[in-house]
Amino acid sequence: MIIAPSLLAADYGRLAREAKRAGASRADWLHIDIMDGHFVPNLSFGPALVRTLRPLTRMFFDVHLMCSKPEILLEPFAGAGADQINIHVELGEHVTALLWKIRALGKKVGLAINPPTSIGLVQPYLHLIDTLLVMTVNPGFGGQEFIHEMLPKIQQAAAWRRERGLSFRISVDGGINFQTAVDCARAGADVFISGTTLFGRRSLAAAVRKMRKLVQAARPGAERAG
Ligand code: DX5
Ligand code: ZN
């Protein structure tokens, strides 16, 4: 189980301190949203910020590219210190080449899917990826309401993973709070990306601990495993 605070909800006046706070919280990954003002109607961070934060923490940097032309950004983010790069399946014919390019750069490979997109679209890529990122809000902004209709998508992805003997992680992103994290864990998710709920707390460490405990107890098979 991976808990991944999302930097989008951090205090932008003190990002270095926020990155250190995330590292000290014992969260596993730092999720970093990159928005281009075209694929989504908002802007966020660039590779220079990732490069600045990289020496401040040993956390795994999970970079989420909500961008129409990720091909121009893969090398800059890889060089800046990303550990995993997620691109969107909505990019269609470019997806396979992008996934291979991320792999060739020596990074973990993530594929993201938006709420309106059918889960069937990711099926041809599942053997190529380390993480399937299921968006549980429409991307672009933090603090939105979790879309419950996404739970069957998580269940379907988990079923394919089982049936095909694959081991990609299923991450969920958007509106993840202590309750919706549990719902997603029951559906088969194993990476919980959360901005507002985690960074919004005075003690990020306590919030991370609480979310980890809840999702561990909720994950399929937890009762049997004891
Ligand atoms: C939304 C981003 C999310 C965002 C989630 O476009 O991809 O990573 O930070 O924020 P919360 O947890 O506040 O919904
Ligand atoms: Zn994200």
Side-chain angles (χ1 to χ4, degrees), residues 6 8 31 33 35 64 66 135 137 139-144 173-176 193-196:
S6 175
L8 197 69
H31 184 78
D33 286 311
M35 305 181 182
H64 178 191
M66 285 163 271
M135 285 302 308
V137 298
F141 300 91
Q144 302 182 71
D173 185 11
I176 300 299
I193 298 163
S194 175
T196 313

Side-chain angles (χ1 to χ4, degrees), residues 55-76:
L56 305 179
T57 167
R58 294 169 68 170
M59 288 181 99
F60 182 97
F61 279 2
D62 182 36
V63 169
H64 178 191
L65 296 181
M66 285 163 271
C67 302
S68 299
K69 288 172 78 181
E71 60 275 17
I72 62 172
L73 297 169
L74 298 181
E75 279 183 45

